Amino acid sequence: MEPNRVAFVTGASRGIGKACALALADVGFDVAVAARTVVEGQGRDDSLRGQQRPVSGSLQSTTALVESRGRQTLPVVLDLLDRTSLDTAARRVLGEWGRVDVLVNNAVDTGPGSMDRVEELEVETLEAKLWANAAAQVALIKLVLRGMLGRGQGTIIDMTSEVAVSDPPGPPGEGGWGLADAMSKGAFHRVAGILAVELGARGIRAFNVDPGFVLTERMATNQTTLGFEGRYRGAPPSVPAAVVAWLASSPDADRFNGQTVRAQKLALQLDLHPDWRRR
């Protein structure tokens, strides 16, 4: 009997990660969900210094929704800044379920510093962002890669960002983003292409997914402060999630191996999601 396919989604307590977990369940995956917030009501937006604003979402809630779709789920605590938690989370998933077929690197460090201007940015903050938003993802990939190579197949989906490849339209707070955010995501952006070059012939598929501007719970809380409100049309998290589910499940996605997929554009081209722009 063929074992159930397993997806491992980081940053799955809310936003794009939560939507990815549900979309993957809908196409037949059992889903291990990882995040810091375990219980509903504990979530805090910590992106702005001196502020801890409540934000909805938790592993508890995501787990219940995955299970309501008839799939198994496994919640694991993961903090990108805690290397031990990366190892513990991955080993628990592999220990209990024996495999990871799809890894979705969606989690990102949300703590202060991403929007610091260069004059304010401390090198220690930059170092932490580079670890959390790039090196931590490579650590997770290496923890699941051996099993993928042993089976001769595996999919790694990296949630990237336009900030990785473009200059901002203005400074932080005026519709732009900070150097630490851009540098860390720029480093992360290079991973998928290199994985495809080195390991594509051994069955590994790796994709960058650029979600575009997505109105997550956290972005809804912060968009005014960041200068984003009214500047961009926000798509719901279910749009990039639909693209992730397609990449994970469709052999037609092979042609994108190593490439960056623009989620909103592809969702419309392939009719993967109802057109949200008609609201």
Side-chain angles (χ1 to χ4, degrees), residues 11 29 38 45 52-53 56 58 89 124 152 169 195 200 206 216 224 232 240 253 258:
F29 284 89
V38 177
D45 173 44
Q52 290 282 327
R53 292 181 287 186
S56 63
S58 64
E124 292 78 10
L195 286 175
T216 63
T224 300
Y232 307 107

Side-chain angles (χ1 to χ4, degrees), residues 30-31 35 42 64 78 87 101 103 140 144 171 175 190-191 201 203 214 240 242 250 253 261 271 276 278:
D30 292 336
V31 189
Q42 291 181 339
L78 184 147
D87 185 80
D101 299 286
L103 172 64
L140 277 175
V144 303
R190 300 305 308 146
V191 176
V214 176
S250 175
V261 173
D271 197 24
W276 61 96
R278 296 172 182 163

Side-chain angles (χ1 to χ4, degrees), residues 11-51:
S13 59
R14 62 184 61 88
I16 294 173
K18 175 183 176 180
C20 287
L22 304 185
L24 287 162
D26 286 339
V27 296
F29 284 89
D30 292 336
V31 189
V33 292
R36 292 183 299 167
T37 306
V38 177
V39 178
E40 196 67 33
Q42 291 181 339
R44 294 292 182 271
D45 173 44
D46 56 357
S47 58
L48 302 177
R49 285 189 175 85
Q51 299 187 33

Side-chain angles (χ1 to χ4, degrees), residues 66-81:
V66 171
E67 290 177 346
S68 73
R69 285 159 162 76
R71 304 309 307 180
Q72 296 184 66
T73 185
L74 179 63
V76 293
V77 177
L78 184 147
D79 184 338
L80 293 174
L81 289 169

Side-chain angles (χ1 to χ4, degrees), residues 210 239 243 262-270 276:
D210 179 352
V239 174
V243 172
R262 296 189 179 277
Q264 297 187 29
K265 179 179 179 181
L266 191 68
L268 293 170
Q269 286 179 339
L270 300 183
W276 61 96

Side-chain angles (χ1 to χ4, degrees), residues 199-218:
L199 301 173
R202 298 170 65 185
I204 301 301
R205 305 187 311 159
F207 310 100
N208 281 328
V209 173
D210 179 352
F213 184 70
V214 176
L215 201 58
T216 63
E217 299 93 333
R218 193 181 300 277

Side-chain angles (χ1 to χ4, degrees), residues 226-263:
L226 298 175
F228 291 160
E229 189 169 20
R231 186 182 291 266
Y232 307 107
R233 180 192 296 270
S238 53
V239 174
V243 172
V244 166
W246 181 81
L247 291 170
S249 61
S250 175
D252 292 339
D254 290 358
R255 69 182 186 271
F256 294 113
N257 197 11
Q259 298 182 33
T260 298
V261 173
R262 296 189 179 277

